[in-house]
Amino acid sequence: MDIHRIKYKNMKSLTHSRVHYLWAINELNEKKGYARAIDIASLLGVSRSAVCIALGHLKSMKLVIEKLPEHTLKLTILGKKQLDNIDNNFMILSRFFKAFLNLDEEIATKQACMIEHLLLEEVAKKINQIIDKPLGSSSEKINNSIVKPGKMYD
């Protein structure tokens, strides 16, 4: 059996783990005014070598810059934009999972966190449109289409 994966042009791999590094850099800069590799390692509970590897990827993606000789890290404009998009995706997914799938807060949050970096902008917009429709339109349709136990076929 052949399995084909869709490859998107101009999309470098921003993984779940790398997103956490972006958040850590952003959070440290907001709280302390600077972010160093050792601070990131401490915040995320990972080794300094893991931070160095991740930073290499993030720098090559032009999401992070390192200021020398201090070795402090900042998000680039692209890095901030990417993080804003991911934060937005997280909020959209969380709302959707809670409102339309009736997932509890913890599960909705965990699931949104796992896939927020994968969501294409077009998909995020469509989900947001569904969420923002007034009651009586999409939510009634979705709730009426859910198969309830014992009611598989009418």
Side-chain angles (χ1 to χ4, degrees):
M1 173 196 299
D2 282 337
I3 298 175
H4 300 281
R5 291 182 181 230
I6 299 171
K7 300 226 180 205
Y8 295 97
K9 293 180 184 175
N10 303 322
M11 277 188 74
K12 291 192 177 184
S13 181
L14 187 58
T15 64
H16 175 80
S17 171
R18 290 178 191 159
V19 170
H20 284 267
Y21 285 96
L22 292 177
W23 273 325
I25 293 166
N26 192 55
E27 184 177 322
L28 288 165
N29 275 299
E30 286 178 359
K31 288 185 178 176
K32 296 172 84 173
Y34 62 90
R36 298 173 302 164
I38 195 162
D39 301 316
I40 296 165
S42 176
L43 181 63
L44 296 178
V46 297
S47 68
R48 282 194 57 202
S49 60
V51 173
C52 289
I53 292 168
L55 289 176
H57 292 291
L58 295 171
K59 288 177 192 176
S60 73
M61 295 170 74
K62 309 229 183 294
L63 300 175
V64 173
I65 55 171
E66 184 173 11
K67 185 177 177 186
L68 299 173
E70 300 90 357
H71 297 284
T72 56
L73 302 153
K74 298 242 184 240
L75 298 181
T76 63
I77 293 170
L78 180 60
K80 288 177 185 176
K81 182 180 176 189
Q82 192 76 269
L83 195 57
D84 286 344
N85 288 340
I86 291 166
D87 284 341
N88 187 50
N89 288 349
F90 175 80
M91 297 305 297
I92 290 168
L93 289 166
S94 294
R95 286 176 52 208
F96 180 76
F97 292 153
K98 288 184 275 185
F100 288 86
L101 302 182
N102 296 319
L103 297 177
D104 67 36
E105 181 80 26
E106 183 180 354
I107 293 172
T109 299
K110 283 181 182 178
Q111 189 62 45
C113 183
M114 289 192 309
I115 64 174
E116 68 208 351
H117 63 286
L118 301 172
L119 199 62
L120 297 175
E121 185 177 350
E122 180 182 346
V123 176
K125 286 179 183 177
K126 295 286 186 183
I127 292 173
N128 217 17
Q129 288 172 354
I130 291 169
I131 294 169
D132 289 341
K133 283 187 181 179
L135 288 177
S137 57
S138 64
S139 64
E140 274 186 10
K141 289 177 190 171
I142 288 173
N143 287 333
N144 290 336
S145 69
I146 294 173
V147 177
K148 297 186 171 90
K151 291 234 173 194
M152 197 134 7
Y153 303 103
D154 280 343

